């Protein structure tokens, strides 16, 4: 993929992510309550956009390598886990515990039944377990227009993931939203 | 009288009537949310966002004008559902009527089921054309007489009166759905019906309101693992043990209630593999099925996703037997349609009486018909401009290439606020009801 195309895809993915998030937040105030179907579709689009965004960032060079070290153990926070596996940097930990990942990740099949999910949650990094709302100060992934001061160079890696060791830059806000959406029911 | 259906090649459609307000400023409560003919086609029911049901009745054909089938006039209007509030979840429950389904007629009264997001109601619509007169203790206007003035006894008699149509709620089926109800379907046994929400399908008996059986439950133990929801469900038209439900992933599952009490395991799974060339951000959204309808024969079923209509043979699960593109020119516009929310629109589809033609709606108040036999399709428009009585509708065309011919409309000129989501076809004749945002258009076949 040429650099310009990757850039275009990146921009497009970011735009779609931003649009999706605003739709997700807007749907909270909709009359009749959150619509499960709509929320699910929004989260699927966000996931595709996030994946494309990451892969296009990979092709951008060294900055793309940065999410690798941030990779979390657990990704079961998102509905439809299987696309997580398509990301170049796979987490080898057995904590991947979605049943759907069984055929795709043979290493992790040990933890793949529903009954073990809650157990595995206990073994995860505490930041993953925490369901507290992240402070606004940390909620500024780079695909959204930044309204805050630039972070110190040393902290840049942590800014986008909202201070958690979660998935790659730019994803954590969406992960947060995806977390909230479905269990809200 | 011409037979039902027939080929699109020789059927011409004429404007017959339009119902609803003329002004462009649409009150949200007037937005039509469902349209349904009854089993004889004599009655046509609409539901709206304000929770009202309006029933139109076809006038008997007049001998003076045999060319014209009877007009539909208002027969009954009633408030079916009111807005409610779920205090436990702090959620408002919309009064919008999601679906109306008629019961087959068994006696003089008509019955229909109407549902909003949470509650289904059985309504009885009955006519009263006589009233008792000559009471002993009451005057004709209802005032009670002084008993001392009663000197003789008489038997009250029934006298004719102006026709009054009454709608009364006979059953209320509530508190069975956690998620939003998207479908109801009456069984061919005429005793039971199903209601489906995003994750569950319940079976009810029409006489029993305090109990329902859960027959499908796709809620995962961990909601964070949710990958698909139920989008529509319907009973088979003649096999009372069979029903289907469609999903947001583009699959349809057929279940047999004889197999087990909980039909989580499907008897058949209908799924077409995705074309990898068409993969995009929005592939999953556009493959979500918005409607599923059995053919009258029960041999086929039709599904509607965002861009196409597919006909499935119930004996073949691997792929549909026919696929019709409704508005393929929108495929390159999916991003804009996502931004303006149009990509989430849920279009319905319907069969004609003899299953030879299918119909569905589109944007710009266009609706499309696909003739399965002649392999022809037609695009027509529901608009006030074409609303002279018995004026023939001219087929419309959307230009997709660079050159726009005269009378064609370019994709960028389409009005995406004017969408036809709900259409219905008379079960026996070539009469169709097409709902624009707040108007109901009735078109008839041109008879010579």
């Amino acid at each position: 993929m040429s650099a310009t195309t990757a850039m275009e895809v990146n921009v497009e993915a970011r735009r779609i992510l931003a649009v999706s998030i605003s739709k997700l937040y807007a749907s909270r105030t909709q009359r009749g309550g959150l619509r499960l179907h709509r929320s699910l579709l929004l989260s699927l689009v966000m996931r595709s956009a996030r994946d494309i965004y990451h892969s296009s960032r990979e092709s951008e060079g060294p900055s793309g390598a940065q999410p690798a070290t941030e990779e979390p153990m657990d990704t079961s926070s998102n509905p439809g886990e299987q696309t997580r596996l398509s990301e170049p940097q796979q987490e080898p930990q057995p904590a991947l515990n979605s049943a759907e990942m069984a055929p795709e990740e043979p290493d992790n099949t040990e933890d793949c039944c529903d009954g073990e999910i809650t157990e595995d949650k206990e073994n995860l990094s505490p930041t993953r377990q925490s369901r507290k709302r992240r402070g606004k100060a940390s909620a500024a992934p780079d695909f959204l227009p930044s309204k805050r001061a630039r972070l110190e160079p040393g902290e840049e890696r942590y800014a986008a993931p909202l201070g958690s060791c979660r998935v790659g830059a730019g994803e954590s806000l969406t992960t947060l939203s995806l977390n909230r959406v479905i269990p809200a029911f | 009288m011409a037979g039902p259906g027939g080929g699109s090649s020789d059927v011409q459609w004429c404007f017959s009537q339009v119902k609803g307000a003329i002004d462009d400023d649409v009150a949200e409560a007037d937005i039509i949310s469902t349209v349904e003919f009854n089993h004889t086609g004599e009655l046509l029911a609409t539901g709206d966002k304000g929770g009202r049901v309006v029933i139109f009745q076809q006038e008997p054909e007049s001998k003076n004008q045999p060319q014209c089938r009877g007009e539909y006039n208002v027969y009954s209007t009633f408030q079916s559902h009111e807005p409610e509030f779920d205090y436990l979840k702090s959620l408002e429950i919309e009064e919008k009527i999601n679906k109306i389904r008629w019961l087959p007629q068994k006696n003089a009264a008509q019955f229909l089921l109407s549902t909003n997001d949470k509650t289904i109601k059985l309504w009885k619509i009955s006519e009263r054309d006589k009233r008792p007169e000559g009471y002993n203790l009451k005057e004709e206007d209802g005032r009670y007489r002084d008993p001392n003035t009663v000197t003789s006894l008489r038997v009250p008699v029934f006298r004719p009166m102006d026709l009054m149509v009454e709608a009364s709620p006979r059953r209320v089926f509530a508190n069975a759905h956690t998620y939003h109800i998207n479908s109801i379907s009456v069984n061919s046994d005429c005793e039971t019906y199903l209601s489906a929400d995003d994750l569950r399908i319940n079976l009810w008996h029409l006489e029993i309101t305090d109990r329902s059986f859960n027959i499908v439950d796709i809620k995962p133990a961990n909601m964070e693992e949710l990958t698909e929801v139920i989008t529509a469900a319907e009973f088979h038209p003649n096999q009372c043990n069979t029903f289907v439900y469609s999903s947001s992933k583009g699959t349809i599952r057929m279940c047999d209630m004889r197999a087990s009490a909980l039909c989580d395991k499907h008897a058949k799974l209908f799924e077409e593999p995705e074309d990898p060339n068409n993969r995009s951000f929005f592939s999953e959204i556009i493959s979500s099925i918005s409607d599923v309808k059995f053919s009258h024969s029960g041999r086929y079923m039709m599904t509607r996703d965002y861009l196409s209509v597919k006909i499935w043979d119930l004996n073949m699960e691997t792929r549909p037997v026919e696929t019709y593109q409704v508005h393929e020119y929108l495929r390159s516009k999916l991003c804009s349609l996502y931004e303006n929310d149009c990509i989430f629109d849920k279009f319905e589809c319907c069969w004609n009486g003899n299953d030879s033609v299918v119909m569905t709606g589109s944007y710009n108040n266009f609706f499309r018909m696909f003739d399965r036999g002649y392999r022809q399709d037609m695009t027509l428009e529901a608009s006030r401009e074409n609303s002279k009585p018995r004026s023939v509708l001219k087929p419309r065309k959307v230009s997709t290439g660079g050159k726009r011919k005269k009378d064609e409309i370019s994709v960028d000129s389409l009005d995406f606020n004017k969408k036809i989501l709900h259409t219905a076809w008379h079960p026996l004749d070539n009469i169709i009801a097409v709902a624009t945002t707040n108007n109901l258009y009735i078109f008839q076949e041109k008879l010579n």
Side-chain angles (χ1 to χ4, degrees), chain B residues 147-181:
Chain B
N148 299 325
T149 62
V150 180
T151 53
S152 61
L153 278 180
R154 57 185 174 168
V155 177
V157 290
F158 275 100
R159 296 240 181 228
M161 61 178 256
D162 289 338
L163 178 68
M164 199 165 76
V165 181
E166 298 170 320
S168 58
R170 305 302 287 178
R171 305 272 186 277
V172 177
F173 305 92
N175 301 321
H177 286 279
T178 308
Y179 303 96
H180 297 106
I181 296 174

Side-chain angles (χ1 to χ4, degrees), chain B residues 188-445:
Chain B
S188 51
D189 66 9
C190 300
E191 288 185 351
T192 57
Y193 75 94
L194 63 76
S195 58
D197 66 27
D198 292 314
L199 296 178
R200 298 191 177 102
I201 301 180
N202 292 333
L203 181 72
W204 301 84
H205 192 283
L206 286 165
E207 299 291 327
I208 299 170
T209 58
D210 61 356
R211 240 176 307 157
S212 78
F213 290 99
N214 176 242
I215 52 177
V216 173
D217 188 340
I218 64 167
K219 182 176 178 181
N222 184 356
M223 274 298 273
E224 291 169 347
E225 290 170 8
L226 183 72
T227 56
E228 67 181 324
V229 296
I230 297 168
T231 53
E234 197 180 45
F235 266 121
H236 191 279
N238 21 61
Q239 292 168 18
C240 59
N241 53 287
T242 304
F243 66 93
V244 293
Y245 67 93
S246 60
S247 84
S248 54
K249 273 191 169 172
T251 62
I252 309 101
R253 285 173 176 79
M254 176 182 280
C255 302
D256 186 334
M257 294 197 293
R258 297 170 300 188
S260 70
L262 189 61
C263 300
D264 276 358
K265 281 172 89 162
H266 53 263
K268 292 192 182 184
L269 174 66
F270 298 84
E271 187 174 16
E272 182 177 30
E274 191 194 352
D275 181 358
N277 298 328
N278 283 333
R279 189 107 186 85
S280 76
F281 282 120
F282 310 106
S283 299
E284 279 140 332
I285 299 191
I286 63 170
S287 63
S288 177
I289 292 173
S290 52
D291 194 15
V292 65
K293 292 264 169 51
F294 277 105
S295 64
H296 292 94
S297 63
R299 165 111 192 258
Y300 298 97
M301 68 177 172
M302 162 166 57
T303 57
R304 175 71 156 99
D305 52 65
Y306 190 64
L307 296 179
S308 67
V309 161
K310 296 180 181 175
I311 313 275
W312 302 78
D313 184 323
L314 296 186
N315 298 317
M316 188 163 80
E317 300 165 59
T318 49
R319 57 182 165 78
V321 289
E322 294 151 41
T323 301
Y324 301 103
Q325 301 301 334
V326 181
H327 35 219
E328 181 69 10
Y329 46 80
L330 295 183
R331 194 181 287 276
S332 54
K333 311 272 178 198
L334 293 179
C335 198
S336 320
L337 294 165
Y338 179 71
E339 287 176 32
N340 66 15
D341 267 1
C342 283
I343 207 173
F344 298 103
D345 287 335
K346 298 192 178 155
F347 292 94
E348 291 174 10
C349 52
C350 60
W351 297 84
N352 74 337
N354 66 3
D355 300 335
S356 60
V357 185
V358 296
M359 171 167 68
T360 190
S362 179
Y363 293 104
N364 207 69
N365 281 350
F366 287 172
F367 56 100
R368 304 264 282 140
M369 288 185 187
F370 302 96
D371 189 312
R372 302 174 61 210
Y374 288 93
R375 290 287 168 168
Q376 286 178 346
D377 62 272
M378 185 153 63
T379 305
L380 298 172
E381 183 181 0
S383 77
R384 294 262 175 190
E385 280 92 52
N386 304 332
S387 53
K388 284 212 321 260
R390 289 191 288 286
S391 62
V392 175
L393 293 182
K394 206 172 64 146
R396 307 282 294 166
K397 190 133 167 55
V398 177
S399 72
T400 49
K403 279 193 158 185
R404 188 176 74 88
K405 298 200 190 99
K406 184 172 166 302
D407 286 350
E408 283 186 1
I409 182 164
S410 70
V411 180
D412 297 315
S413 315
L414 294 173
D415 188 342
F416 290 96
N417 290 321
K418 293 187 180 171
K419 50 193 88 169
I420 290 178
L421 303 174
H422 312 287
T423 58
W425 205 309
H426 190 288
L428 304 166
D429 293 334
N430 274 345
I431 302 173
I432 54 177
V434 171
T436 59
T437 308
N438 65 331
N439 287 152
L440 183 73
Y441 285 79
I442 300 173
F443 301 107
Q444 291 185 2
E445 180 187 16

Side-chain angles (χ1 to χ4, degrees), chain B residues 90-185:
Chain B
S90 287
L91 284 180
E92 200 179 351
I93 300 170
E94 276 192 284
E95 66 277 28
K96 173 167 79 89
I97 307 295
N98 292 336
K99 285 278 161 27
I100 288 173
R101 290 288 182 262
W102 290 93
L103 268 57
Q105 191 175 12
K106 285 190 178 163
N107 50 41
Q110 300 278 357
F111 287 87
L112 60 78
L113 286 170
S114 68
T115 187
N116 70 348
D117 284 337
K118 298 286 182 184
T119 304
I120 307 128
K121 294 187 185 180
L122 176 69
W123 288 89
K124 176 180 178 181
I125 296 106
S126 47
E127 292 183 1
R128 190 194 291 268
D129 60 357
K130 330 181 235 307
R131 64 157 180 249
E133 286 177 19
Y135 281 101
N136 294 288
L137 298 175
K138 277 194 296 193
E139 303 286 358
E140 294 306 330
D141 58 9
R143 279 180 305 141
Y144 280 95
R145 291 168 71 182
D146 180 356
N148 299 325
T149 62
V150 180
T151 53
S152 61
L153 278 180
R154 57 185 174 168
V155 177
V157 290
F158 275 100
R159 296 240 181 228
M161 61 178 256
D162 289 338
L163 178 68
M164 199 165 76
V165 181
E166 298 170 320
S168 58
R170 305 302 287 178
R171 305 272 186 277
V172 177
F173 305 92
N175 301 321
H177 286 279
T178 308
Y179 303 96
H180 297 106
I181 296 174
N182 52 56
S183 314
I184 47 174
S185 177

Side-chain angles (χ1 to χ4, degrees), chain A residues 162-185:
Chain A
L162 301 176
S164 83
C165 299
R166 197 142 346 159
V167 295
E171 198 227 316
S172 47
L173 186 62
T174 63
T175 315
L176 193 65
S177 313
L178 298 172
N179 274 349
R180 290 279 178 283
V181 165
I182 307 299
F185 287 87

